[in-house]
């Protein structure tokens, strides 16, 4: 046995794709060689040696075809079929080996039409579940073992063979005396006498129960994978549509109506994940409030999919409603925490919420386990001092602090979600963003600053989506 096919090879070691491809090529070459031998076998049905030579070639071709199919499944990485016994399996036979066997029981039979005698091989008795000392069934008696639904098929095959001289090649199910249902593949030919009439019929019968069970399991696995893939694609599409419907509709720069000194120039961007994972729950938001203040917020929920996108929509709606009613950021965070804590599907989230008053250029803000806003002024940047605040949904009695910062004309405020800087977390990610200060100093608009962030980090592969929002004090 070649070393790479040795029985001592560790079972846990997966076969290499190149090795499997080579085996498939060798199998198909061998199948062609066997078929060539089959074509050279004598067609004279009166020659027993030629008849069995063709039968053995036919059997070998079927075995090689099965091997080709199994190797293709192995190459494509389809899940292995469990080895538990099911209805129709024979736990005592060779076909019940773990994971299914390529080798099946094969028996032979010959029916003499002149004497009405039947001759079976010992293996055929085993396949059909007959006692070794029982008499072989005649062609008229054989259908008594066959499943009711398959009897017409067997009758048609035998009739075509005896009357029209057609070879037999088909499958049917048999019900054994022990109650097991087995699938049998039958191949045979008529034997003609000197005047051309059919004198007998011979056949080889192969137990393909395990093979068919394996094929059904693989087919069901493929169908299940396709359904799962379609469901995942549908869910992702719906989640994306929901996120796009909830996030502010503006693209590029946004400047609210003139509110006197300290008005803001705004821009934001959502950066999707570079993987095929479901859409996440990150958001950004900007809203003009009735008292001429401006609400700024970014945040995100843990997880992916429709439920997370739906929870994000709920939080944004609640945040906007409470801000419109005049709720300050610290108090607003507390209400959001209670809302998330009481939701049907518990989740964790982080957020930053800012209320900007243009008249005094004052920024009041609170955070819930989220990166603090970054303030850029005169070519340098720093992180704002962080007030107390834990993740949303972490505890029902959380208290959230509130901080204030007075901005100046030309100041730039950057809010972002975690994951904006790929492969960096915490202070390392913050420093990467602060290093953009000189480039921000030369930017004319908030959109220019967002474009700088995207150019720096947007093309990098990221495991999750992220958001960035820039607000620039313009007058």
């Amino acid at each position: 046995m070649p070393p790479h096919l040795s029985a001592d090879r560790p079972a846990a070691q997966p076969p290499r794709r190149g090795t499997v491809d080579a085996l498939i090529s060798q199998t198909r070459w061998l199948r062609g060689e066997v078929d060539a031998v089959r074509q050279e076998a004598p067609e004279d049905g009166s020659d027993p040696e030629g008849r069995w030579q063709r039968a053995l070639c036919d059997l070998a071709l079927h075995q090689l075809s099965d091997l080709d199919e199994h190797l293709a499944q192995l190459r494509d990485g389809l899940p292995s079929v469990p080895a538990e016994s099911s209805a129709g399996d024979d736990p005592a036979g060779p076909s019940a080996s773990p994971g299914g066997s390529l080798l099946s029981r094969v028996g032979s039979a010959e029916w003499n039409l002149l004497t009405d005698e039947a001759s079976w091989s010992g293996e055929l008795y085993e396949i059909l579940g007959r006692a070794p000392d029982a008499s072989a069934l005649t062609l008229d008696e054989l259908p008594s073992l066959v499943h009711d639904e398959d009897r017409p098929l067997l009758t048609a095959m035998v009739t075509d063979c005896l009357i029209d001289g057609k070879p037999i090649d088909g499958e049917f199910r048999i019900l054994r005396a022990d109650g097991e249902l087995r699938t049998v593949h039958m191949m045979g030919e008529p034997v003609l006498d000197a005047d051309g009439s059919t004198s007998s019929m011979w056949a080889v019968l192969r137990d393909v129960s395990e093979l068919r069970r394996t094929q059904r399991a693989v087919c069901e696995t493929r169908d299940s994978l396709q359904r799962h893939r379609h469901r995942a694609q549908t869910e992702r599409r719906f989640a994306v549509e929901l996120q796009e419907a909830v996030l502010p509709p503006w693209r590029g720069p946004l400047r609210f109506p003139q509110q006197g000194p300290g008005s803001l120039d705004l821009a934001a961007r959502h950066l999707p994940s570079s993987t095929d994972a479901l859409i996440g729950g990150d958001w950004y938001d900007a809203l003009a409030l009735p008292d001429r203040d401006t609400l700024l917020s970014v945040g995100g929920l843990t997880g992916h999919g429709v439920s997370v996108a739906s929870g994000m929509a709920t939080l944004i709606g609640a945040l906007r409603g409470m801000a419109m009613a005049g709720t300050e950021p610290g108090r607003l965070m507390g209400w959001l925490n209670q809302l998330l804590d009481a939701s049907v599907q518990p989740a964790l989230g982080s957020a930053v919420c800012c209320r900007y008053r243009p008249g005094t250029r004052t920024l009041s803000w609170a955070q819930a386990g989220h990166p603090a806003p970054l303030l850029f002024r005169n070519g340098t940047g720093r992180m704002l001092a962080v007030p107390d605040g834990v993740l949303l949904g972490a505890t029902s009695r959380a208290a959230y602090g509130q901080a204030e910062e007075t901005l100046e004309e030309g100041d730039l405020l950057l809010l972002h979600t975690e994951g904006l800087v790929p492969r960096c977390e915490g202070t390392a990610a913050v420093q990467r963003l602060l290093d953009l200060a000189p480039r921000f100093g030369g930017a004319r608009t908030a959109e220019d600053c967002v474009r700088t962030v995207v150019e720096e980090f947007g093309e990098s592969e990221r495991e999750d989506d992220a958001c960035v929002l820039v607000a620039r004090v313009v007058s």
Side-chain angles (χ1 to χ4, degrees), residues 335-364:
W335 287 117
L336 285 183
N337 178 67
Q338 292 190 30
L339 175 65
L340 197 59
D341 182 66
S343 62
V344 176
Q345 295 181 333
L348 292 176
S350 67
V352 163
C353 178
C354 306
R355 191 180 188 101
Y356 175 70
R357 296 177 173 85
T360 59
R361 292 180 179 153
T362 302
L363 183 78
S364 300

Side-chain angles (χ1 to χ4, degrees), residues 27-362:
T27 300
R28 293 175 179 174
W29 173 83
L30 183 57
R31 189 171 59 189
E33 293 295 303
V34 173
D35 186 54
V37 174
R38 169 67 173 81
Q39 298 298 327
E40 295 174 358
E43 294 291 342
D44 186 359
S46 62
D47 179 11
E49 182 178 350
R51 185 170 72 227
W52 289 111
Q53 181 178 343
R54 290 196 307 275
L56 291 175
C57 287
D58 288 338
L59 182 61
L61 289 172
H62 277 275
Q63 295 277 20
L64 290 170
S65 295
D66 294 341
L67 177 59
D68 188 8
E69 180 177 347
H70 278 70
L71 289 172
Q73 294 169 8
L74 182 63
R75 178 195 60 194
D76 297 339
L78 290 172
S80 59
V81 180
E84 295 89 352
S85 295
S86 60
D89 291 339
D90 184 359
S95 62
S97 61
S101 173
L102 297 178
L103 300 179
S104 306
R105 285 178 167 174
V106 179
S108 61
E110 185 164 0
W111 290 274
N112 191 312
L113 303 182
L114 302 179
T115 63
D116 202 28
E117 293 178 341
S119 176
W120 287 7
S121 68
E123 192 69 16
L124 185 56
Y125 281 90
E126 291 287 337
I127 293 174
L128 301 182
R130 299 277 291 175
D133 56 353
S135 60
L137 298 181
T138 65
L139 283 177
D140 291 334
E141 296 170 331
L142 185 61
S144 64
L145 297 179
V146 179
H147 191 283
D148 292 345
E149 295 178 359
D150 296 345
R151 284 177 187 170
L153 173 63
L154 175 62
T155 300
M157 288 193 301
V158 172
T159 300
D160 289 343
C161 179
L162 299 181
I163 297 178
D164 299 328
K166 296 180 178 179
I168 291 177
D169 189 351
E171 291 183 10
F172 51 86
R173 292 166 294 172
I174 58 105
L175 185 62
R176 295 164 34 127
D178 57 10
E180 286 192 282
L181 189 67
R182 310 293 292 176
T183 301
V184 175
H185 188 167
M186 183 177 183
M187 295 183 298
E189 292 181 356
V191 178
L192 306 180
D193 56 18
D195 62 1
S197 60
T198 303
S199 62
S200 64
M201 188 189 86
W202 64 270
V204 290
L205 293 92
R206 176 183 172 212
D207 186 346
V208 294
S209 304
E210 185 69 18
L211 176 62
R212 297 298 174 252
R213 187 188 71 84
T214 301
Q215 290 173 335
R216 287 193 300 270
V218 170
C219 183
E220 291 171 358
T221 299
R222 283 198 183 106
D223 291 343
S224 177
L225 291 174
Q226 289 176 353
R227 289 193 298 270
H228 177 75
R229 187 178 298 111
H230 177 72
R231 183 165 58 250
Q233 291 173 345
T234 300
E235 182 176 351
R236 176 179 174 79
R237 183 169 59 252
F238 182 74
V240 170
E241 291 174 354
L242 180 58
Q243 185 186 58
E244 291 178 346
V246 171
L247 294 181
W250 43 278
R251 295 293 184 268
L254 172 73
R255 188 170 183 176
F256 290 135
Q258 288 292 334
Q259 301 169 340
S263 61
L264 295 178
D265 172 27
L266 299 168
R269 195 72 52 87
H270 171 258
L271 302 177
S273 167
S274 56
T275 68
D276 293 331
L278 290 172
I279 198 72
D282 284 18
W283 85 81
Y284 61 86
D285 194 24
L287 181 67
L289 301 175
D291 56 4
R292 301 175 62 186
D293 291 355
T294 301
L295 171 71
L296 305 174
S297 69
V298 297
L301 290 178
T302 58
H304 300 88
V306 173
S307 61
V308 172
S310 177
M312 175 196 70
T314 300
L315 285 185
I316 292 179
L319 188 152
R320 287 184 165 191
M322 288 185 286
M324 293 287 283
T327 307
E328 289 295 314
R331 183 64 171 165
L332 192 152
M333 283 295 178
W335 287 117
L336 285 183
N337 178 67
Q338 292 190 30
L339 175 65
L340 197 59
D341 182 66
S343 62
V344 176
Q345 295 181 333
L348 292 176
S350 67
V352 163
C353 178
C354 306
R355 191 180 188 101
Y356 175 70
R357 296 177 173 85
T360 59
R361 292 180 179 153
T362 302

Side-chain angles (χ1 to χ4, degrees), residues 392-407:
L392 299 174
T395 175
S396 59
R397 299 184 179 277
Y400 294 88
Q402 183 171 304
E404 287 193 356
E405 186 78 23
T406 301
L407 304 183

